[in-house]
Amino acid sequence: MSSLAHSLRRLRRAPAFTLTALLTLGLGIGANASIFSAIYSLLLKPLPYREPEKLVSLSLISRGKTRVDPSLLTITDWRGESRTLESAAGGLVRSFGLTVGGGSVSVVVTGMVTAELPSVLGIQPALGRLFTRQEETGNARVAILTDSLWRRRFGADTSVLGRPLELNEEPRTIIGILPPAFEFPLTGSVPDLLIPINHADYGRLRGPGHLQAVGRLRSGVDPRQAQAELQAIVERLARTYPQNAGLGAAVEPLEETLRGANRRPLLLLAASGLLLLLIACANVVNLLLAQFLVRARELAIRVSLGAGAGRLAREFFADGLSLSALGAAAGLALAVLLQGGLPAVLLYAGVRAPKPVELEPPVFLFALVTLLLTALLFTLVPAALARSTDLNPLLKESASPSGPRSFLRSGLVVVQVALSMTLLLGAGLLLRSFVKVMSVDPGFRASQVFQFGVGIPEARYDTERKMVAFHQQVLRNLNQSPGVESAAFSSRLPLAGTMGTDFEFVESPVDKERRPRAGASVVTPDFFRVLSIPLHGGRGFTELDHPDAPRVALVNEAFVRAYTGGRSPLGRRIRTGFQNGELNPGGAVSEIVGVVGDVRQRSLEVLPQPQVYLCGLQYGLEGGSYIFRAAGTPAALSSTARDAVASVDGRLQSIRLRAMSDVVALSQSGRRSAALLSGLLALVALALTAVGIYGVVSFLAAQRIPEMSIRLALGARPWQVTRLIVEQGVRLAAIGIVTGAVASLWAASLLRAGLYETPVTDPLTMLASAALLLSTAIAACLGPAARAGLRDVRSNLR
């Protein structure tokens, strides 16, 4: 304890050293503690389910070898026939309008699930009960609230069970409350409430569907065995149900499904944070070396008087432990401050966080381990340098510009520069990749285009014709609004993914299992006009393409290239997988009447795929988004959208309006933010490196005062003396840049999968990173070099 007290007093007597070291170390430890809190919460913490290692996600494999969601009947087949699964469940998420006690409507996220989902997960309600199989298959009007909605909307009232609420104007009864720790495994998010899935809407077809599925393995069964069994079930059912033909099954540990996408960006964050910590430690070691030289005469005298290596080592350990403990405390305080901004940081890094990340006990254990490791580092360096008990070499070396301490300080600067080069190159590659992605032509014009959605209650709009009529009237209202140029409705907007469908040309029928696939969107006539998608042949949709007119379709250029050999498809009849009982009782057969330009439907990074556009007036308009082109502010246009909906049905609430330009930007938010975040870490590392170079050059300049004095006495100009000092610092930086460039080639290869049309050896990025580092090194050298050439040397001459 006395050694620690002496150490703290020494730190207090050197406030500049202590403050600089604590800020540097606190920044490194704080950033890493915050990153580790995300890694623990999103990768290492056990999933909040009973025996999570037995949970698996279930999906189908399409003929294109891509994973697709199964239908409700497919999940039912697996649940009934599998012997490797204890049970299987599924569900999906939708937005509903919630009304309680006749109050205002609010939009809530609702999980529509099969009754087995809670039991598959091993979840027990905090209050009330769960769904029964009869309630699911009988479409019972019941609901289970999550803890957050129960507290937010009902004030945690325990008498809420049995009370009514309305979802999309359909009455339901509250039967249970889920525990606070509940997480929805199908999307990695937490909905506001759960309801039984509607078999009338989702239980009509086998094969691919809209549900995500999860299963629980029996004891002693691994995912490969379950996959082989489900594959056999799918193939056996294909003999009875053609829609299963050509499909496969996929079984994956649920943990991998939920966390696999987060692993790479979090590990990249962790690597960047570790490099930042290493740079911070190198800076602190350099500061300790400076302190060591200040104490060189004291230590040499103590050694000559008989102070043993063990006693000095204990003292150095006390110094390192005190410094590391204070730095860890500062780092944890910084981590607490960073927690508020961590969700934005994770979003910037492309990490999906279903709930806020908290500083849990393992984070403090991580900080403790970091504290001990840095304390050990800060002990070993001075202890190794003080191992000699010979007084004269120690005193001489304190004034030598070429002793091992000078060599070590210079080596640390080289390491700092090399690590900074690695961070800068990674940030530069991500930035270059982002710029290239954002320069891609999406195939449509997003400026002055806005979108919004509306939740339609099926209770009153219970037929497709009623829904079509509702949407048509809203579109008429929008088109008549001041400032609105045109308006449309679409089942799926560009950059939001696509629904897939198999198809065949009627004149060239193909077996179900061998039919090709294409994306499909249901749109109203002005869709292409609103988004400025060009028409390359034939005609577009018109109001004459009503529900009782012959069915028509449009295709894009990618469809023509892939399936008609570049020949015009106009006039050919195409049968798609779209079927609905009211408007198309015999299935969907349409004549191709036009060809439109390609649009990036999945993302800016994915080339346009074959796409079929069906006329929404003929195929129904259920879920989707309104889009309209208009001049005006978002606030004024939000009012326009609300008025257009309210004049048709005043009881509906429109979902918030967004600019399509924001949708385009949001589609690349992860890539943009990863570049910004890595750039921020690189700039912090650059600043720390500049401090390190400044400190070493100041030390070297002070050591060379006698030499510079002689040079000036012999007629050297001050600028020549300054140049000598700058050259010495730049030489260290150049060695670090070359070393870092070589190391960066390996480190940057870890980014290869995340880059878009940018090689890891991009010369422009490498040259820019090297130039920035070299400029920083020169700037850091100029101050101490100028002092050595002017003030210090002139003072020495006097």
Side-chain angles (χ1 to χ4, degrees):
M1 293 301 293
S2 61
S3 296
L4 287 174
H6 286 303
S7 176
L8 291 173
R9 281 197 291 271
R10 277 193 296 271
L11 291 176
R12 189 167 57 248
R13 287 196 298 267
F17 161 80
T18 302
L19 182 61
T20 304
L22 291 185
L23 287 177
T24 301
L25 195 56
L27 182 63
I29 293 179
N32 279 272
S34 190
I35 291 172
F36 180 78
S37 69
I39 291 176
Y40 175 75
S41 178
L42 301 176
L43 290 184
L44 303 179
K45 186 178 181 181
L47 293 175
Y49 311 120
R50 175 176 59 86
E51 298 179 301
E53 69 280 0
K54 292 184 177 181
L55 294 176
V56 290
S57 65
L58 312 174
S59 56
L60 291 170
I61 302 294
S62 71
R63 285 180 290 275
K65 304 304 179 184
T66 58
R67 293 193 177 189
V68 294
D69 293 332
S71 65
L72 176 57
L73 289 183
T74 297
I75 297 173
T76 302
D77 291 333
W78 286 341
R79 182 174 61 193
E81 299 189 29
S82 174
R83 296 295 175 265
T84 58
L85 299 176
E86 285 185 6
S87 187
L92 70 159
V93 171
R94 282 186 54 186
S95 295
F96 282 79
L98 170 67
T99 307
V100 179
S104 61
V105 178
S106 60
V107 177
V108 292
V109 178
T110 303
M112 305 174 64
V113 302
T114 60
E116 287 83 4
L117 181 64
S119 61
V120 168
L121 301 176
I123 299 293
Q124 295 297 323
L127 288 175
R129 63 178 181 84
L130 302 173
F131 305 130
T132 65
R133 177 76 66 84
Q134 291 72 25
E135 286 173 329
E136 172 202 324
T137 56
N139 297 327
R141 304 303 182 186
V142 292
I144 300 175
L145 307 183
T146 57
D147 181 80
S148 60
L149 181 64
W150 176 51
R151 296 182 183 278
R152 184 175 72 247
R153 194 66 185 264
F154 298 91
D157 183 2
T158 55
S159 64
V160 73
L161 299 180
R163 287 177 56 181
L165 55 78
E166 290 186 352
L167 287 178
N168 280 3
E169 301 182 13
E170 292 185 348
R172 291 182 180 270
T173 301
I174 301 171
I175 64 170
I177 309 295
L178 291 169
F182 172 74
E183 291 183 13
F184 198 53
L186 306 176
T187 60
S189 61
V190 181
D192 295 297
L193 71 164
L194 302 181
I195 62 174
I197 192 163
N198 190 318
H199 279 242
D201 291 337
Y202 296 95
R204 294 180 294 181
L205 298 175
R206 278 180 167 79
H210 305 286
L211 278 69
Q212 292 176 289
V214 61
R216 176 172 290 276
L217 298 175
R218 295 186 184 277
S219 297
V221 175
D222 64 40
R224 289 176 298 177
Q225 293 173 297
Q227 178 166 315
E229 183 193 42
L230 297 189
Q231 175 74 33
I233 293 173
V234 171
E235 292 175 353
R236 184 167 64 253
L237 290 172
R239 293 193 287 268
T240 305
Y241 306 104
Q243 55 266 45
N244 278 16
L247 295 176
V251 177
E252 180 181 58
L254 183 63
E255 182 172 15
E256 180 63 26
T257 302
L258 295 180
R259 296 176 167 178
N262 285 340
R263 188 171 291 114
R264 183 180 183 84
L266 280 175
L267 291 181
L268 287 175
L269 265 182
S272 299
L274 179 60
L275 292 179
L276 186 63
L277 180 60
L278 291 175
I279 293 172
C281 287
N283 252 2
V284 174
V285 169
N286 259 331
L287 291 172
L288 287 171
L289 288 174
Q291 285 291 98
F292 183 85
L293 290 176
V294 171
R295 299 179 60 197
R297 186 174 297 274
E298 170 208 335
L299 293 172
I301 293 173
R302 291 177 60 187
V303 169
S304 67
L305 293 176
R311 181 170 182 177
L312 288 179
R314 286 194 299 273
E315 185 175 305
F316 291 142
F317 181 72
D319 289 347
L321 185 61
S322 300
L323 190 61
S324 296
L326 292 174
L332 285 175
L334 178 61
V336 171
L337 294 177
L338 289 176
Q339 287 306 106
L342 188 58
V345 170
L346 295 177
L347 176 64
Y348 288 165
V351 175
R352 184 180 67 181
K355 63 180 183 179
V357 173
E358 299 177 352
L359 290 176
E360 301 186 63
V363 178
F364 295 94
L365 179 61
F366 169 82
L368 177 61
V369 172
T370 305
L371 182 158
L372 294 175
L373 290 176
T374 53
L376 185 61
L377 173 64
F378 299 155
T379 300
L380 291 177
V381 173
L385 290 174
R387 67 184 182 277
S388 172
T389 58
D390 188 356
L391 174 61
N392 290 328
L394 189 60
L395 293 175
K396 291 178 181 177
E397 202 177 289
S398 68
S400 172
S402 57
R405 277 179 284 283
S406 299
F407 179 78
L408 178 58
R409 297 194 74 186
S410 299
L412 287 172
V413 168
V414 170
V415 171
Q416 284 181 283
V417 173
L419 294 174
S420 293
M421 182 67 179
T422 301
L423 279 174
L424 278 174
L425 183 60
L429 290 173
L430 290 173
L431 180 60
R432 285 270 289 168
S433 187
F434 170 69
V435 170
K436 286 193 174 184
V437 169
M438 293 309 294
S439 65
V440 169
D441 179 11
F444 61 93
R445 190 161 60 90
S447 61
Q448 294 188 314
V449 176
F450 300 85
Q451 71 156 113
F452 68 96
V454 174
I456 301 179
E458 290 87 348
R460 288 188 292 113
Y461 297 90
D462 55 354
T463 68
E464 288 155 0
R465 288 182 182 271
K466 287 182 181 179
M467 290 184 183
V468 169
F470 169 83
H471 291 302
Q472 281 184 298
Q473 186 57 54
V474 172
L475 292 176
R476 291 191 193 101
N477 293 343
L478 284 172
N479 281 316
Q480 294 169 5
S481 300
V484 176
E485 180 182 326
S486 55
F489 188 88
S490 174
S491 62
R492 195 65 61 95
L493 294 178
L495 303 181
T498 183
M499 297 181 293
T501 180
D502 58 73
F503 73 91
E504 65 177 356
F505 293 108
V506 175
E507 64 272 20
S508 305
V510 180
D511 292 340
K512 178 75 174 179
E513 64 272 14
R514 293 192 295 110
R515 288 180 184 174
R517 294 186 66 82
S521 294
V522 180
V523 302
T524 58
D526 278 343
F527 173 81
F528 305 98
R529 180 185 173 193
V530 172
L531 292 177
S532 300
I533 300 173
L535 180 67
H536 289 165
R539 70 171 180 87
F541 298 139
T542 72
E543 293 293 332
L544 297 177
D545 298 315
H546 51 76
D548 299 318
R551 302 294 184 258
V552 291
L554 305 178
V555 296
N556 66 349
E557 290 283 359
F559 183 97
V560 175
R561 291 191 298 270
Y563 298 127
T564 68
R567 296 187 299 274
S568 173
L570 299 181
R572 300 189 68 175
R573 299 176 69 217
I574 183 175
R575 177 182 287 109
T576 66
F578 273 77
Q579 296 183 21
N580 49 49
E582 181 189 357
L583 294 180
N584 300 282
V589 176
S590 308
E591 179 185 347
I592 299 175
V593 297
V595 178
V596 297
D598 290 334
V599 170
R600 302 263 173 158
Q601 191 69 31
R602 296 186 183 275
S603 77
L604 291 176
E605 303 171 41
V606 178
L607 291 173
Q609 303 298 307
Q611 186 82 7
V612 177
Y613 295 95
L614 303 175
C615 183
L617 306 183
Q618 299 178 331
Y619 285 95
L621 297 170
E622 187 174 351
S625 300
Y626 291 97
I627 54 173
F628 61 97
R629 180 175 294 279
T633 65
L637 294 175
S638 293
S639 178
T640 297
R642 285 194 299 270
D643 292 343
V645 174
S647 63
V648 181
D649 191 331
R651 288 178 288 177
L652 301 185
Q653 180 184 28
S654 62
I655 300 173
R656 68 184 181 90
L657 181 134
R658 291 194 303 171
M660 275 298 292
S661 56
D662 292 341
V663 175
V664 175
L666 184 62
S667 71
Q668 287 302 310
S669 62
R671 183 177 290 280
R672 178 184 64 249
S673 304
L676 291 175
L677 180 61
S678 60
L680 177 62
L681 289 174
L683 289 177
V684 172
L686 193 65
L688 292 177
T689 300
V691 172
I693 294 174
Y694 180 91
V696 167
V697 172
S698 295
F699 168 74
L700 295 176
Q703 300 288 61
R704 297 182 67 180
I705 291 293
E707 174 197 344
M708 298 300 116
S709 301
I710 295 173
R711 287 179 180 273
L712 283 174
L714 295 175
R717 300 288 183 86
W719 67 265
Q720 291 174 314
V721 172
T722 300
R723 187 186 66 185
L724 287 175
I725 300 298
V726 171
E727 285 178 350
Q728 191 171 13
V730 169
R731 192 178 304 117
L732 294 177
I735 296 172
I737 288 172
V738 173
T739 304
V742 174
S744 296
L745 293 178
W746 172 81
S749 64
L750 300 176
L751 296 173
R752 192 187 307 272
L755 300 178
Y756 178 78
E757 294 186 357
T758 304
V760 295
T761 56
D762 183 53
L764 181 60
T765 304
M766 192 166 291
L767 287 175
S769 301
L772 182 57
L773 264 174
L774 196 59
S775 301
T776 302
I778 293 173
C781 292
L782 285 176
R787 286 199 303 273
L790 296 175
R791 187 187 66 217
D792 294 341
V793 175
R794 291 178 186 275
S795 174
N796 186 273
L797 286 174
R798 288 197 296 271

